Amino acid sequence: LWLDTLKKAPNNKRAMTYLGQEYIYKGKYRKALDILSKSLEIEIPTKSFDLIANSNLLKVYSDMGKKKETMETMNLLEKLSSDRSKLSISTGSIYYILGNSYFTYGDIEQSEEYLIRSLSFRYGKWYQFPAYILLGQIELRHGKFQQAQSHLEKAKSLRPHSPIPLLHLGDLYYAQKDVKRAEEFYRSAIK
């Protein structure tokens, strides 16, 4: 879809941003880096796609081990998110993007703070599911099993047919040495 859009509208910033995201999902980091960088060269009044593109670039740089670029991109994300007048997405979405970015960056405390803030908003809740997943992972890292389970159960209730919460619930039980229960969740995730 995004490749076809770019054939018809070669300077479509949205198409470039989401094509870059698709390349990341497929592990094609070079292609993602190229198309996301190109999208940032296109100036439009709203900076929402710059925020999303930079968030995706952060993942690319982080996964590629490019520490300098990762830090520069994180700083840019903070700067972009501070001028809400140029962003056409909800504050909750911005907080989720920052929480996800800090998680990628490795600043778990800051990530948790932004993710919790993102969930306090009533509108634009596309990000609820991934926010609960990340919060579950954070609590699991801290050994806070009950809180982790609560977050993962909330994610599961939002998308009952997704294997992702089941996978992380399996991790939760495995961390508690309940191998039998962990296996049940892993098998459910596979189904």
Side-chain angles (χ1 to χ4, degrees), residues 104-136:
T104 300
Y105 187 63
D107 187 337
I108 302 303
E109 264 184 49
Q110 201 64 11
S111 172
E112 186 174 22
E113 183 181 318
Y114 277 118
L115 291 169
I116 290 169
R117 284 162 110 187
S118 78
L119 292 171
S120 69
F121 290 87
R122 294 182 182 180
Y123 304 103
K125 294 199 175 187
W126 61 267
Y127 51 81
Q128 264 190 328
F129 176 79
Y132 281 124
I133 294 292
L134 288 178
L135 284 169

Side-chain angles (χ1 to χ4, degrees), residues 150-167:
S150 174
H151 291 306
L152 295 169
E153 291 290 345
K154 285 178 186 170
K156 187 177 160 206
S157 72
L158 290 170
R159 293 195 191 157
H161 301 292
S162 173
I164 297 169
L166 301 172
L167 174 66

